[in-house]
Amino acid sequence: LQYHCKVPEFVARQWYKHVVGISYSEGGCRDIDHAWNEISLRYVDAGDFNFYTPQGGFRTQSPSNKQASTDELIQQPELQQAYVNHAKASFELYNQLVAQGVAKEQARGVLPLNIYTEFYWTVSLQALVNFIKLRQHEGAQYEIRCYTDVLEKLTQLVVPVAYRYLLETASLS
């Protein structure tokens, strides 16, 4: 299956880390289950890109898991505005650097991790099921769980029987 994904950079890093950290092996045969082709800010002008802003507030840090958040929200409009202002200022600096002739490969260094990136992800159904099972876990970051839910719905539209079978029978690697 192949998906065209548009996600915040911090979600793409988690996604990619999963892709390179997992491979499927059956009967001693190793297959490549994933292909990743991401847009490069070395070649594309990021000036027209947009950035992710959490809706409804920021989640609080989990007291029991250093890499997780809770569902409790910090609703302080001034924090939300500071977040947006910071992202906008980063884009303004990026545009200023490019306008002065700075190479895009260097100018992109000022862009925040909430910038949206795009990639094509080609994945075997088996690897996709494994990804969905792992990334729908309650300990996974909320944003990647949202994308995983959409991937699951799209996959169920295309290969419902095979998906259901693999979901029920596949063990997590």
Side-chain angles (χ1 to χ4, degrees), residues 6-86:
K6 182 176 181 180
V7 304
E9 187 71 40
F10 65 88
V11 172
R13 293 309 104 209
Q14 288 181 22
W15 201 315
Y16 186 70
K17 184 175 181 182
H18 174 91
V19 169
V20 299
I22 260 193
S23 64
Y24 177 75
S25 173
E26 183 174 308
C29 177
R30 276 187 101 74
D31 295 319
I32 297 174
D33 292 321
H34 304 272
W36 186 279
N37 186 5
E38 185 173 358
I39 192 170
S40 173
L41 291 179
R42 290 181 67 200
Y43 308 110
V44 178
D45 185 349
D48 295 330
F49 282 44
N50 51 9
F51 56 90
Y52 169 78
T53 304
Q55 299 302 307
F58 295 105
R59 294 183 307 279
T60 60
Q61 179 65 42
S62 169
S64 60
N65 184 338
K66 67 179 178 181
Q67 64 181 15
S69 60
T70 69
D71 291 335
E72 183 182 344
L73 295 178
I74 298 170
Q75 296 180 346
Q76 294 183 14
E78 64 278 2
L79 284 179
Q80 190 89 0
Q81 190 58 54
Y83 183 94
V84 169
N85 292 346
H86 180 75

Side-chain angles (χ1 to χ4, degrees), residues 92-124:
E92 289 170 11
L93 178 56
Y94 170 84
N95 287 327
Q96 181 183 2
L97 291 168
V98 171
Q100 293 298 312
V102 172
K104 287 181 276 219
E105 67 184 37
Q106 289 183 305
R108 67 184 172 165
V110 301
L111 295 172
L113 285 175
N114 65 341
I115 186 174
Y116 278 93
T117 187
E118 295 182 44
F119 58 89
Y120 287 92
W121 185 39
T122 305
V123 61
S124 72

